[in-house]
Amino acid sequence: KHVVIGGGTGFVGTQIINSLSRKGVSFTCISRMPGPGRMSWHDLECYGLPDNTTAVINVAGQNILDPKQRWSEGFKQNVINSRVKTTQSLAKAIINTKAKAFVTISGVAYYKPNDTEYTEESKCEKYDFLSELCHRWEAAAQLPKDSDIRQTTIRSGVVLGRDGGMIKQIYLPFFFGLGGPIGNGKQYMPWIHVTDLVNMFIFSIKNENVHGILNGVAPQIVTNGEFTKAFASVMQRPALIPVPPIILNSLFNKERAKIMLEGQKVIPKRVKDLRFEYQYPDINTACAELVNKNT
Ligand code: NDP
């Protein structure tokens, strides 16, 4: 078995690779930086995928919430291209191989934030920059109808893990007792523990009955306020200082601050129907792992 993984150097990608290695599966990582076990996106265009490829994953994408990056047209284009173009290139390359599965990531920003309970079957028109991005990202992953490669897209919620994403950003403020909810904390915060997301990728590669959309979220629905409480409790710190929307809007621009200020009520219906087993189905168990306490 040999898995090719776009964005394998990132927070999620590294964990996927660790998990594959533990299972004795070999891999090639596609990265902008050269290194052992890596190929570049240019190599992919020129030479295609390695002959022995059995599955392809894409989790590449320029970090949207990088506070150092101004929300300029140029940066927005980078955000789009790093997801849509990479996915497109892999979709094109995979058809000429003997690979059996193509699994890509997308986001819950596909769904419009309101009180609707969204399952994988819910259809949503694009309504803003991020939802349009998700639509294009998912469209880029589609394979020709006559292809017998299984294609799965995981619409991920906020990924919780010690080594990256949101937890890495908020760890220190919470540690110093400066943490708190975002805005009024009433917005939903669709989330998933990184271990469960990684397992969902492996599950999608392995199981021949998995294809189409999976909501990459935990079964327990929480609000940002509820998450804040759970995280502060395992950190044994108060978390009373709310982050005012005005600060996020001015630091990030409204268009991307939305990721933090608004949330969708997302249910992993198909994931549960497929009998995927979560290691961290509830926020307290997940938070306990994040600060390395036994549950
Ligand atoms: P990271 O920022 O940790 O890693 C992203 C990877 O993408 C890097 O390994 C990098 O590889 C590659 N990358 C970055 N910019 C570009 C670019 N301009 N062109 C090509 N490749 C690029 O992200 P995460 O692991 O946290 O997230 C992975 C994916 O999952 C992203 O697409 C993200 O949008 C999506 N996602 C993440 C969530 C989260 O909470 N973390 C939630 C929902 C979706 P290299 O530098 O080696 O080229």
Side-chain angles (χ1 to χ4, degrees):
K1 289 195 180 104
H2 188 86
V3 178
V4 174
I5 162 160
T9 56
F11 162 48
V12 174
T14 307
Q15 305 276 341
I16 295 177
I17 284 178
N18 289 346
S19 175
L20 290 173
S21 304
R22 280 196 299 271
K23 292 177 171 60
V25 178
S26 64
F27 61 87
T28 302
C29 175
I30 311 184
S31 167
R32 291 165 301 170
M33 293 290 289
R38 292 190 189 179
M39 63 189 272
S40 68
W41 293 101
H42 183 70
D43 293 339
L44 177 70
E45 291 292 326
C46 298
Y47 313 114
L49 290 159
D51 287 339
N52 57 349
T53 305
T54 50
V56 175
I57 287 176
N58 194 26
V59 286
Q62 178 99 36
N63 179 5
I64 298 180
L65 286 176
D66 181 348
K68 297 190 294 293
Q69 296 280 359
R70 218 165 43 83
W71 194 237
S72 61
E73 284 310 313
F75 179 64
K76 277 156 78 170
Q77 204 54 54
N78 260 342
V79 164
I80 298 172
N81 291 345
S82 59
R83 291 171 173 77
V84 177
K85 291 236 166 107
T86 53
T87 304
Q88 244 161 18
S89 305
L90 287 168
K92 194 171 140 212
I94 200 173
I95 343 182
N96 304 317
T97 67
K98 296 198 180 76
K100 298 264 184 290
F102 182 38
V103 190
T104 63
I105 200 161
S106 169
V108 290
Y110 176 89
Y111 305 113
K112 191 168 189 167
N114 51 38
D115 270 323
T116 312
E117 289 194 352
Y118 293 109
T119 71
E120 290 86 348
E121 279 108 49
S122 311
K123 287 274 168 283
C124 265
E125 292 303 313
K126 47 197 171 202
Y127 60 92
D128 67 355
F129 174 83
L130 291 170
S131 77
E132 182 171 357
L133 170 65
C134 292
H135 275 85
R136 289 180 59 185
W137 203 357
E138 293 181 11
Q142 298 310 309
L143 301 173
K145 291 232 157 23
D146 57 358
S147 163
D148 49 15
I149 301 167
R150 277 185 303 107
Q151 190 274 326
T152 307
T153 298
I154 301 180
R155 280 186 194 139
S156 177
V158 178
V159 185
L160 305 183
R162 262 176 277 174
D163 308 314
M166 176 169 122
I167 297 301
K168 200 173 172 193
Q169 302 286 335
I170 67 170
Y171 194 90
L172 273 185
F174 272 73
F175 183 80
F176 289 114
L178 300 171
I182 294 176
N184 64 16
K186 290 199 175 129
Q187 68 279 29
Y188 294 110
M189 195 188 99
W191 65 279
I192 185 161
H193 189 283
V194 67
T195 302
D196 283 328
L197 181 61
V198 167
N199 288 343
M200 222 181 266
F201 272 95
I202 312 272
F203 179 82
S204 305
I205 289 182
K206 263 191 167 153
N207 289 287
E208 296 203 347
N209 56 340
V210 178
H211 61 90
I213 302 292
L214 296 182
N215 282 339
V217 296
Q220 190 192 26
I221 293 169
V222 299
T223 61
N224 173 268
E226 286 161 350
F227 158 75
T228 304
K229 236 189 200 161
F231 190 59
S233 152
V234 291
M235 293 282 283
Q236 299 181 295
R237 298 287 190 277
L240 302 168
I241 307 169
V243 185
I246 193 167
I247 301 226
L248 293 177
N249 282 332
S250 64
L251 191 65
F252 289 102
N253 179 303
K254 261 192 174 155
E255 220 164 33
R256 60 173 167 162
K258 269 185 163 182
I259 302 181
M260 295 169 276
L261 292 166
E262 296 178 2
Q264 305 81 348
K265 196 172 185 183
V266 184
I267 295 162
K269 180 174 179 295
R270 287 195 72 219
V271 179
K272 285 197 272 185
D273 289 349
L274 287 161
R275 308 211 178 284
F276 173 79
E277 279 179 34
Y278 288 87
Q279 276 185 40
Y280 302 97
D282 64 275
I283 197 71
N284 288 330
T285 320
C287 284
E289 192 284 333
L290 296 175
V291 300
N292 210 0
K293 291 210 179 102
N294 294 324
T295 45

